[in-house]
Amino acid sequence: MWVFGYGSLIWKAGFNYDQRLVGFIKGYRRVFYQGSTDHRGTPEYPGRTVTLEPAEGEVCWGVAYKVSKKEDEEVTLTYLEVREKQYDKKAYLDFFTEPTATTPTVFGVMVYIASPDKKLNRNYLGPASLEDLANQIIHAEGPSGPNRDYLFQLEKALVQIGCKDEHVMDLANEVRRILSQGELTAS
């Protein structure tokens, strides 16, 4: 079994794995459109975490984890079903490690996606301006800590794997700008 991580799974797997590969999936981009009411926010004030959005010609970098042992697979699936419970869709996508490769390194990595379908995913928040995203992230905090920590950890983890994700970097820079200017607005 292979699992693809494009958010917090990059820096915190939380399960036993046999191999970790840096690479990407095609046809998707990472966006801060998913509300988090259980980890990085509350039902009253949701945080924002990443999900995948279909995007022609785009790639989303992250890591793929190989889980080989049967007992580890069962524990991993149980763990991920709880951790990723606010993500309503599971997909199996091809994973590449080389930008010029035409053949995937791994066929059918499992990935959790939060769809924009409000009937299936009541926590989908969707797009917002960079400033609105930043203000929401600055103010949100949940059982797993401040939402801004999630953003900054994701930015750091992406840099460590050699990925420059403009959406994440622009958002992190906007959060830092607002914090440095003391522009905390009650939005």
Side-chain angles (χ1 to χ4, degrees), residues 80-183:
L80 289 173
E81 290 299 319
V82 172
R83 178 174 171 170
E84 307 296 331
K85 69 179 181 254
Q86 293 193 336
Y87 290 71
D88 60 302
K89 190 173 156 191
K90 217 185 294 183
Y92 295 87
L93 305 170
D94 292 339
F95 177 81
F96 299 81
T97 55
E98 294 296 324
T100 57
T102 54
T103 303
T105 304
V106 180
F107 292 91
V109 295
M110 182 176 67
V111 59
Y112 288 85
I113 300 172
S115 77
D117 185 338
K118 289 294 257 177
K119 289 179 185 161
L120 299 173
N121 178 13
R122 62 184 172 86
N123 288 313
Y124 182 76
L125 299 174
S129 70
L130 192 64
E131 186 176 2
D132 287 346
L133 289 172
N135 274 311
Q136 186 170 3
I137 287 170
I138 286 168
H139 290 94
E141 185 165 348
S144 296
N147 199 179
R148 67 182 89 163
D149 290 354
Y150 171 92
L151 169 62
F152 294 145
Q153 286 175 307
L154 178 57
E155 178 190 40
K156 180 181 174 186
L158 289 170
V159 167
Q160 287 173 342
I161 65 169
C163 172
K164 289 184 178 177
D165 184 306
E166 285 186 35
H167 179 64
V168 174
M169 292 183 343
D170 290 349
L171 188 51
N173 286 333
E174 180 67 5
V175 166
R176 281 190 281 273
R177 183 191 71 75
I178 293 169
L179 289 172
S180 73
Q181 295 181 353
E183 290 181 20

Side-chain angles (χ1 to χ4, degrees), residues 53-102:
E53 177 180 74
E56 187 75 28
E58 297 270 341
V59 300
C60 179
W61 283 84
V63 295
Y65 297 99
K66 181 181 184 182
V67 181
S68 300
K69 298 179 188 127
K70 190 69 179 157
E71 60 272 14
D72 286 345
E73 279 187 30
E74 291 170 17
V75 170
T76 298
L77 281 173
T78 302
Y79 169 76
L80 289 173
E81 290 299 319
V82 172
R83 178 174 171 170
E84 307 296 331
K85 69 179 181 254
Q86 293 193 336
Y87 290 71
D88 60 302
K89 190 173 156 191
K90 217 185 294 183
Y92 295 87
L93 305 170
D94 292 339
F95 177 81
F96 299 81
T97 55
E98 294 296 324
T100 57
T102 54

